[in-house]
Amino acid sequence: MLARTGRLVASALGSPPRRRPDARARPSSPESGPTPRVTGAGYPGDYHGPLTAEYDPALDGNADPGEIVWTWVPFEEDPTQGKDRPVVIVGRDGSWLLGLMLTSKDHSRNYELEALRGRSWMDIGTGDWDRQRRDSEVRLDRVIRVEPTTVRREGAIMAPELFHRIVARLRP
């Protein structure tokens, strides 16, 4: 109760919200530095509209379409809060990267509920983006804008066949 009151006071005074620690969030590596993020007014909102997907990965320190990267993803209901998670980059919108978030949570068990909420997921298996090699799913109905400077690290290059299967099922 006291913690919530503190957050409410901080919010009323205009202080940035603190994010709760997430046991699954990965710590920054020494070479990547702290995790920068775009929150609140800095986030222009999710991308809607036609998307020109491209596959052009290169593990060169810059996030490119076809790569899975780790970055800050704002929550839909409150873009001032979010969490660090893997995202597959699928294209660009001006200076922004466009990405789809990944999760290791199994949404297929609640397929009907997810569909009622307008959410669509696709199983993509395991890969180098998850050190524990857990099965992952990609969300197909929410395209997130990613500020390139907020990408913390490159996790993996996605196989071209899988990338094109995801893009074929994409519903922005």
Side-chain angles (χ1 to χ4, degrees):
M1 172 89 163
L2 186 59
R4 180 176 177 183
T5 303
R7 285 193 302 273
L8 290 173
V9 170
S11 175
L13 296 175
S15 300
R18 293 185 332 180
R19 90 178 174 165
R20 285 185 228 134
D22 180 357
R24 294 184 304 179
R26 298 176 192 259
S28 297
S29 63
E31 61 273 3
S32 67
T35 304
R37 58 189 163 142
V38 176
T39 60
Y43 185 67
D46 294 348
Y47 180 83
H48 300 280
L51 185 144
T52 303
E54 56 183 281
Y55 183 83
D56 190 25
L59 288 178
D60 57 4
N62 298 317
D64 302 301
E67 294 176 10
I68 296 175
V69 300
W70 280 79
T71 190
W72 179 258
V73 175
F75 294 145
E76 283 179 280
E77 60 279 357
D78 181 0
T80 66
Q81 297 196 29
K83 71 188 262 186
D84 194 48
R85 66 182 322 133
V87 172
V88 60
I89 303 299
V90 294
R92 301 177 192 279
D93 177 34
S95 64
W96 294 89
L97 298 166
L98 298 176
L100 307 172
M101 65 182 186
L102 276 62
T103 184
S104 58
K105 183 178 179 183
D106 183 10
H107 292 278
S108 59
R109 289 179 292 148
N110 296 319
Y111 177 80
E112 291 83 14
L113 179 61
E114 289 293 307
L116 283 172
R117 293 179 175 164
R119 298 179 188 153
S120 176
W121 299 88
M122 177 181 158
D123 291 323
I124 61 168
T126 64
D128 293 337
W129 59 86
D130 186 314
R131 291 185 183 133
Q132 296 175 12
R133 305 293 289 184
R134 295 173 290 191
D135 283 329
S136 295
E137 294 183 2
V138 62
R139 185 165 172 189
L140 300 169
D141 61 283
R142 181 179 184 212
V143 180
I144 300 159
R145 286 186 173 99
V146 175
E147 166 63 45
T149 61
T150 66
V151 172
R152 186 167 53 79
R153 73 174 181 87
E154 295 169 287
I157 291 179
M158 181 170 275
E161 304 80 29
L162 179 56
F163 180 85
H164 294 299
R165 276 194 0 240
I166 290 169
V167 168
R169 292 194 47 200
L170 189 59
R171 299 188 301 139

